[in-house]
Amino acid sequence: MARCLYLLWFLFFWFLLCSSTLLKITATEDLSIKKGILKERVRKMFYHAYDNYMAHAFPHDELKPISKTFTDSLSELGNLKLEHLPGNYKGSALTLIESLSSLLILGNNTEFERAVLWLSDNLIFDVDARVNLFECNIRVLGGLGSALVIRQSYIAEDLGRRFLLAFDTPSGVPYAWINLKYGVMENETTETSTSGCGSLILEMGALSRLTGDSRYEASALRALRMIWSMRSPLNLMGTTLDVVSGDWIEHSSGIGAGVDSFYEYLLKAYILFGNEEFWNMFKSAYIAVQKYFRHGPWYHESDMRTGKATYWQLTSLQAFWPGLQILVGDVAAANSSHREFFHVWEKYGVLPERYLLDMGMLHPTERYYPLRPELAESTFYLYQATKDPWYLDVGETIIESLNRYTKVDGGFASIRDVTTMQLEDHQHSFFLSETCKYLYLLFDDSFLANQNYIFTTEGHLLPVRSRWHARLPETYVSTNLTSLKNKHQQYHQESAMTQQICPATNLAQKLESVCHVPDARIDHRCKVNYDCGIDSITCRDRSCSLAGYCGLWSHH
Ligand SMILES: *[C@@H]1O[C@H](CO)[C@@H](O)[C@H](O)[C@H]1NC(C)=O
Ligand SMILES: *[C@@H]1O[C@H](CO)[C@@H](O)[C@H](O)[C@H]1NC(C)=O
Ligand SMILES: *[C@@H]1O[C@H](CO)[C@@H](O)[C@H](O)[C@H]1NC(C)=O
Ligand SMILES: *[C@@H]1O[C@H](CO)[C@@H](O)[C@H](O)[C@H]1NC(C)=O
């Protein structure tokens, strides 16, 4: 009996001695097993999206996963009113182009080679289709450019040459739209966005470095310098501008739609090309954002002229910001914003397009979730920087939501309304180039082990090479803003937001909602009706009560 007890005590102490080491080993093992399982789930998601696209939509642009058909959507991207749609455009294999760099990361070199070969033989850009320069740049030129770095192929150059025609403007800032076959159309809109003309430098710069033709980089840089020279004394930018007069049209801006990738490209251009000029622009712009837009972990919009808050809204595109903050090293700020975004994801199951922070409610019309990548992207960066396993749980939650709500037999469908989880028959190409890629890299970053890369705003890879850190071409003449102003004084455009055009309630029409609530006063106290702006739900003017509160009081 006593011997037996001794043995038990011995075993007990032995257990105590080993358990601490054992626990550690089990924890690391658990973690790598968990990462392995989740990585395989993302791989399955990618191939479910990819194989269905190849079966039902290729060589058209994007898959309609519910009806298992296709949409030739390149000419519809950014074209909210669906104007000037081409008659006989048959698609450019957009989703295949967008999948190239993801195939590499997943280690499928055979399929990558097969795709590049098909594209070199079949892709033609001499088509009568009006496309958005920004969308076509980040998706098509970016996707092909990324492949071009790895595999010599000159299809990207043909597209780049067509882009150059857009830059022939008095300001040097390119038109937002270009017809691939005929160049800029007659009576083309002269309004473009800050991100539309300020985030071309990575793709066009890379194209110049690869082909030795400096015109692409020179054009993009000239445009970037021009809009940077248009910043306010507070170092703030507006959201839209006129490419002929060089005037701002929309003076309110934030870090979301219409501006987001402008900031992203200043920092990433510095990383890719090593030029201090980009860093100096980024530093000033970043400080201004943190000073005038940030409110705790949230970001609102402000007027570039006064720095005063305008719209208190969370938009799902803003979720990329913590990822950018990781590249700057601002880990704590990134962590706190990312947590708030993730709480909104948890609340609704996915991230709704727009959320009214001041009212604590969803936007009345922008309740969709089109499979956007931004939260997964930031989660990937935060995990890389902190190795905090909590971010793996975030990734797991995102994977579970995507599979539960958006997976259908024929691919992954967008969500039309996060309150009903009603689906929309559209699998956006960025689901393959970004959403799946960032989730995969969260659990397996071995692709990034031997080479430094930066990701374009569409998730395409560009290797960071020291020989690209040479001086930039010095051939550009910067535009004289003063003389441009004198020449085009007659132009004055008003933004839709300034005009307070109300949103279309019919989502099928795809009109952008521009009904916002200007909110100069945080406490909603007012002196005159003008202080109260318009109501975002009814789109009626709000008025100021006798007690000094804004509301929908009837006018008498
Ligand atoms: C590469 O992709 C193709 C098409 O989806 C698939 O048939 C093949 O099994 C994949 N190869 C690897 C190694 O994953
Ligand atoms: C361009 O606009 C002018 C003035 O609005 C109009 O007279 C002309 O027909 C338009 N041209 C085209 C090709 O739409
Ligand atoms: C992120 O925030 C959480 C909660 O506030 C905190 O526990 C954690 O330590 C933070 N991590 C970093 C890297 O700042
Ligand atoms: C820009 O143009 C204005 C008026 O045409 C002129 O006075 C000014 O010197 C010019 N500035 C530069 C930098 O060339």
Side-chain angles (χ1 to χ4, degrees):
M1 189 64 202
R3 188 177 281 179
C4 205
L5 261 179
Y6 278 129
L7 191 67
L8 269 177
W9 276 115
F10 175 75
L11 282 175
F12 179 66
F13 282 117
W14 180 248
F15 173 75
L16 277 186
L17 202 71
C18 296
S19 58
S20 53
T21 5
L22 267 173
L23 277 176
K24 242 183 219 151
I25 293 169
T26 350
T28 5
E29 271 180 356
D30 278 355
L31 203 64
S32 70
I33 291 170
K34 178 179 174 149
K35 283 164 94 169
I37 293 170
L38 291 171
K39 162 183 129 174
E40 283 316 309
R41 287 180 67 187
V42 182
R43 181 195 296 278
K44 281 210 182 77
M45 286 165 69
F46 175 83
Y47 282 112
H48 184 63
Y50 180 81
D51 291 339
N52 271 296
Y53 164 75
M54 291 306 279
H56 306 296
F58 171 78
H60 295 277
D61 285 337
E62 287 177 317
L63 171 68
K64 292 180 121 182
I66 298 173
S67 55
K68 297 189 181 168
T69 53
F70 58 84
T71 162
D72 285 321
S73 39
L74 184 60
S75 59
E76 291 171 15
L77 296 172
N79 189 349
L80 299 166
K81 295 181 203 144
L82 299 179
E83 298 164 308
H84 309 293
L85 290 182
N88 59 352
Y89 169 66
K90 299 249 163 38
S92 304
L94 176 64
T95 301
L96 183 67
I97 296 171
E98 289 261 70
S99 300
L100 293 173
S101 54
S102 300
L103 285 168
L104 283 180
I105 285 177
L106 291 173
N108 198 334
N109 294 342
T110 344
E111 189 67 9
F112 172 81
E113 293 286 334
R114 210 166 72 93
V116 171
L117 202 65
W118 186 91
L119 291 166
S120 329
D121 289 346
N122 296 283
L123 202 56
I124 293 167
F125 290 117
D126 194 30
V127 285
D128 181 8
R130 174 181 177 263
V131 300
N132 182 287
L133 188 73
F134 168 75
E135 294 286 354
C136 194
N137 175 61
I138 63 170
R139 299 196 199 212
V140 185
L141 190 60
L144 294 172
S146 181
L148 174 64
V149 182
I150 292 132
R151 181 90 147 49
Q152 291 299 307
S153 147
Y154 284 89
I155 15 178
E157 199 178 0
D158 176 41
L159 185 60
R161 267 199 296 269
R162 291 166 197 277
F163 281 5
L164 289 179
L165 297 172
F167 290 83
D168 186 13
T169 62
S171 64
V173 175
Y175 279 94
W177 298 92
I178 183 139
N179 183 297
L180 289 174
K181 191 174 176 124
Y182 301 114
V184 178
M185 290 168 66
E186 210 184 316
N187 289 2
E188 186 53 271
T189 174
T190 54
E191 183 171 3
T192 188
S193 66
T194 300
S195 54
C197 60
S199 27
L200 302 159
I201 188 74
L202 292 185
E203 290 85 356
M204 296 190 72
L207 186 59
S208 278
R209 303 302 172 114
L210 290 163
T211 60
D213 181 342
S214 66
R215 286 178 303 163
Y216 312 112
E217 184 166 345
S219 305
L221 184 55
R222 180 166 175 253
L224 186 60
R225 284 179 174 156
M226 175 64 187
I227 61 163
W228 179 242
S229 77
M230 290 167 63
R231 69 193 182 279
S232 75
L234 306 177
N235 285 331
L236 293 176
M237 313 295 285
T239 299
T240 65
L241 59 140
D242 188 304
V243 301
V244 172
S245 67
D247 281 330
W248 289 107
I249 299 172
E250 176 52 64
H251 290 87
S252 171
S253 83
I255 55 167
V259 215
D260 45 7
S261 48
F262 165 77
Y263 295 108
E264 181 183 353
Y265 274 33
L266 290 180
L267 180 60
K268 290 182 175 174
Y270 171 62
I271 297 171
L272 192 64
F273 301 123
N275 190 303
E276 296 282 333
E277 180 184 359
F278 295 127
W279 172 249
N280 291 331
M281 291 183 200
F282 175 77
K283 202 171 53 183
S284 313
Y286 181 73
I287 291 168
V289 164
Q290 298 303 99
K291 184 166 171 189
Y292 294 106
F293 299 162
R294 197 177 69 86
H295 185 86
W298 307 104
Y299 290 83
H300 55 74
E301 288 194 15
S302 291
D303 189 303
M304 66 180 284
R305 296 161 296 193
T306 60
K308 286 224 176 87
T310 47
Y311 308 113
W312 289 80
Q313 302 182 352
L314 169 83
T315 59
S316 73
L317 289 176
Q318 294 175 346
F320 90 102
W321 191 256
L324 188 65
Q325 290 186 307
I326 290 298
L327 290 183
V328 201
D330 213 344
V331 181
N335 182 33
S336 73
S337 287
H338 173 272
R339 264 165 216 262
E340 297 304 330
F341 279 102
F342 180 56
H343 288 149
V344 179
W345 180 289
E346 282 182 308
K347 181 172 172 185
Y348 292 101
V350 292
L351 209 52
E353 187 70 1
R354 202 180 279 272
Y355 184 84
L356 308 176
L357 287 172
D358 48 352
M359 303 189 171
M361 58 178 277
L362 285 175
H363 188 276
T365 55
E366 293 182 26
R367 298 174 162 206
Y368 44 85
Y369 171 69
L371 309 172
R372 286 203 195 282
E374 284 75 15
L375 189 67
E377 177 184 352
S378 282
T379 308
F380 154 69
Y381 281 107
L382 270 153
Y383 180 66
Q384 286 290 328
T386 65
K387 296 292 173 194
D388 181 343
W390 182 77
Y391 295 107
L392 302 177
D393 297 340
V394 173
E396 187 173 5
T397 304
I398 295 175
I399 291 173
E400 263 158 21
S401 306
L402 289 171
N403 281 302
R404 181 178 322 150
Y405 301 119
T406 71
K407 188 177 180 190
V408 293
D409 186 45
F412 287 86
S414 300
I415 292 172
R416 183 176 298 224
D417 184 333
V418 302
T419 58
T420 59
M421 291 296 177
Q422 188 196 0
L423 294 178
E424 184 160 349
D425 197 6
H426 196 164
Q427 176 182 286
H428 291 270
S429 60
F430 51 70
F431 181 71
L432 291 98
S433 71
E434 296 185 82
T435 316
C436 289
K437 179 184 284 140
Y438 288 124
L439 286 171
Y440 187 84
L441 287 170
L442 175 61
F443 306 117
D444 182 356
D445 58 5
S446 52
F447 185 86
L448 304 176
N450 302 317
Q451 163 83 52
N452 285 323
Y453 288 97
I454 54 147
F455 293 94
T456 70
T457 195
E458 191 71 4
H460 296 303
L461 292 160
L462 291 172
V464 180
R465 295 172 161 172
S466 53
R467 67 172 183 275
W468 282 15
H469 280 213
R471 282 166 65 82
L472 294 164
E474 291 290 348
T475 50
Y476 349 105
V477 189
S478 69
T479 319
N480 186 331
L481 197 56
T482 324
S483 62
L484 190 70
K485 281 268 153 62
N486 295 338
K487 227 160 95 194
H488 297 284
Q489 257 170 359
Q490 70 275 23
Y491 282 90
H492 184 68
Q493 291 199 40
E494 286 246 307
S495 79
M497 274 207 255
T498 316
Q499 294 168 11
Q500 301 187 342
I501 296 170
C502 288
T505 38
N506 182 0
L507 273 174
Q509 270 182 283
K510 290 195 193 164
L511 283 172
E512 188 180 26
S513 163
V514 282
C515 180
H516 299 283
V517 194
D519 197 355
R521 291 154 185 271
I522 296 172
D523 59 0
H524 299 271
R525 294 298 291 267
C526 51
K527 290 205 177 81
V528 291
N529 291 347
Y530 182 77
D531 290 341
C532 299
I534 51 170
D535 181 77
S536 67
I537 299 161
T538 61
C539 292
R540 280 166 49 202
D541 283 330
R542 299 200 301 175
S543 48
C544 189
S545 75
L546 282 177
Y549 288 96
C550 288
L552 279 174
W553 327 114
S554 52
H555 303 254
H556 287 295

